[in-house]
Amino acid sequence: MELLGGAGPDQAAAVRIGDRVLSRGELLHWASAVAAEIQGAPAVAVHATASAETVAAVLGGLLAGVPVVPLPPDSGPAERAHILGDSGARLLLAARGAYEPGEEDPPLVPVDALPRDGALAHAEPSPDATALILYTSGTTGPPKGVLISRAAIAAGLDALAEAWAWTAADTVVHGLPLFHVHGLVLGVLGPLRVGSPLVHTVRPHPEAYAAAGGSLYFGVPTVWSRIAADPAAAGALRGARLLVSGSAPLPVPVFERLEARSGHRPIERYGMTETLITVSTRADGERRPGHVGLPLPGVETRLAAEDGAPVAHDGETPGELHVRAPMMFGGYLGRPDATAAAFTPDGWFRTGDIAVIGPDGWHRVVGRASTDLIKSGGYRIGAGEVENALLAHPAVREAAVVGTPHADLGEQVTAYVVADGAGADELIAFVAATLSAHKRPREVRLVESLPRNAMGKVVKSRLG
């Protein structure tokens, strides 16, 4: 995968993160030094802060053909230990002073201490080689490692470049985390592949987006909600070419406010860690509020009922969305049973999302097949992982976690807990100390008991 395909002169600015600017030549030489340092490792973890060190480390892994495991910087000790242990990462790349290694962590490679003059000669790895191992939460148990190949990344980015008319003439702006598909694959590897400069605002604050002066902006619905609520920031984006929203459904009122204040009808798209982006509206096409558009080139979709029967594409009947695509993942690391279960017998990936497809092919995602995957502020949070964290507290006897409506985040993590002598604030802090900060419950409701069916399973639809 030619990561710098379409790149301009070596001295042209490639990446600006906050106040730091790297030219294409500087970034490539620095990444090459990283590649020389990690060559031959089975996998490396990257402390994925919003920094130039993260970009150089990820690119270095890709140049070396070493799978990169982005490590969320806010991950708690239990989550971090699981990711490092499960992935088999033998080195951990971070800036000096930015990461406090634990006793069981792999050796630390200080990325900012490496030279910036690495040799540029690297053998091109196989397209089928794993480029990234991204950890994603399911509905139960700890996060699973999703294997993303170089070929999948190339196919996904090329399809988006075609759909969005994305070229080296664009300047991409976002302030998203660099350990997910949205911020890392689309937001960093996309500009490097297309050749467009990247401005990363460190945090996705409305005033930072307004000051960036870009043409192609990425954000999650929470970001666009905040910008739509800030007339000055929204007005400053009138000169942009495209505003793109993803990672969770964009509420129709936010779409409409954003259009009224910025002059843009935002692009919406749909994808998962396992599939990258598979459905999107187009730069030269219609943009319908509440819809994610049409399948990208090479992507096939269908709807299935609970019994597997086909569901009509009539614009009204919902079904589980199934996908076949060249940007599909290579399986869950060390989880052959989970990988097999994720596909139908005839080879379609079960997304777990419920969608409606119209006669004209337009897709609208209406919810989850399960109630246990929460989309909050662009994050996908597994309820089971939060429940397990709560149940580790000695005072907690029972716990059930659901997503409840939140005006800014879309959904918030809400926990119903049966506990002896523990208060809500104590339990929220307990989870925040164990898991990533965005996974902590924003509300804990202490109850006498949880509703259960005859089989003893909690009936979450009766919580409230």
Side-chain angles (χ1 to χ4, degrees), residues 47 80 97-103 105 108:
H47 182 54
R80 182 170 63 243
Y99 181 84
E100 187 64 37
E103 292 182 3
D105 287 356
L108 186 68

Side-chain angles (χ1 to χ4, degrees), residues 46-58:
V46 174
H47 182 54
T49 57
S51 66
E53 284 78 12
T54 294
V55 176
V58 171

Side-chain angles (χ1 to χ4, degrees), residues 13-354:
V15 175
R16 186 174 90 212
I17 300 185
D19 295 329
R20 297 180 65 183
V21 179
L22 292 173
S23 71
R24 297 186 187 281
E26 289 170 334
L27 176 59
L28 187 56
H29 281 286
W30 190 7
S32 296
V34 173
E37 189 77 15
I38 65 176
Q39 195 76 47
V44 296
V46 174
H47 182 54
T49 57
S51 66
E53 284 78 12
T54 294
V55 176
V58 171
L59 182 55
L62 297 176
L63 291 177
V66 174
V68 172
V69 184
L71 187 65
D74 66 346
S75 40
E79 183 179 8
R80 182 170 63 243
H82 168 72
I83 293 173
L84 292 174
D86 186 71
S87 68
R90 293 293 177 264
L91 298 169
L92 200 158
L93 281 59
R96 286 172 292 186
Y99 181 84
E100 187 64 37
E103 292 182 3
E104 303 299 322
D105 287 356
L108 186 68
V109 176
V111 178
D112 54 333
L114 296 178
R116 310 296 172 91
D117 58 357
L120 298 182
H122 297 280
E124 181 69 15
S126 165
D128 295 329
T130 297
L132 299 171
I133 305 175
L134 301 176
Y135 276 78
T136 185
S137 294
T139 57
T140 59
K144 298 187 290 290
V146 177
L147 303 174
I148 307 294
S149 72
R150 303 170 74 87
I153 292 173
L157 293 177
D158 289 350
L160 289 176
E162 190 275 335
W164 298 346
W166 181 2
T167 71
D170 282 304
T171 294
V172 174
V173 177
H174 72 90
L176 302 171
L178 301 187
F179 48 89
H180 287 303
V181 166
H182 199 168
L184 180 59
V185 178
L186 274 62
V188 173
L189 301 185
L192 290 174
R193 182 166 179 81
V194 171
S196 54
L198 165 64
V199 175
H200 194 286
T201 61
V202 182
R203 295 192 179 280
H205 294 152
E207 61 272 18
Y209 273 45
S215 61
L216 180 56
Y217 286 76
F218 295 162
V220 299
T222 300
V223 172
W224 297 124
S225 174
R226 292 171 182 174
I227 289 175
D230 185 330
L237 301 185
R238 285 186 174 273
R241 189 174 68 82
L242 290 179
L243 310 184
V244 182
S245 183
S247 297
L250 182 68
V252 171
V254 176
F255 184 110
E256 293 171 343
R257 286 198 301 271
L258 192 60
E259 180 184 11
R261 291 181 170 174
S262 73
H264 288 281
R265 293 174 69 82
I267 288 280
E268 296 185 64
R269 85 300 183 285
Y270 167 81
M272 300 178 67
T273 304
E274 291 90 340
T275 66
L276 303 184
I277 308 307
T278 52
V279 180
S280 180
T281 49
R282 297 180 56 90
D284 60 357
E286 182 184 0
R287 303 170 202 178
R288 301 178 189 173
H291 291 72
V292 293
L294 300 163
L296 292 171
V299 175
E300 299 174 88
T301 61
R302 72 181 186 188
L303 298 178
E306 290 186 11
D307 61 1
V311 170
H313 295 185
D314 58 9
E316 297 181 3
T317 308
E320 183 185 17
L321 183 63
H322 292 177
V323 174
R324 287 198 302 206
M327 58 282 288
M328 194 68 63
F329 76 129
Y332 296 112
L333 178 63
R335 302 283 297 275
D337 291 347
T339 301
F343 289 86
T344 64
D346 56 347
W348 292 73
F349 178 73
R350 310 174 195 266
T351 68
D353 282 313
I354 301 300

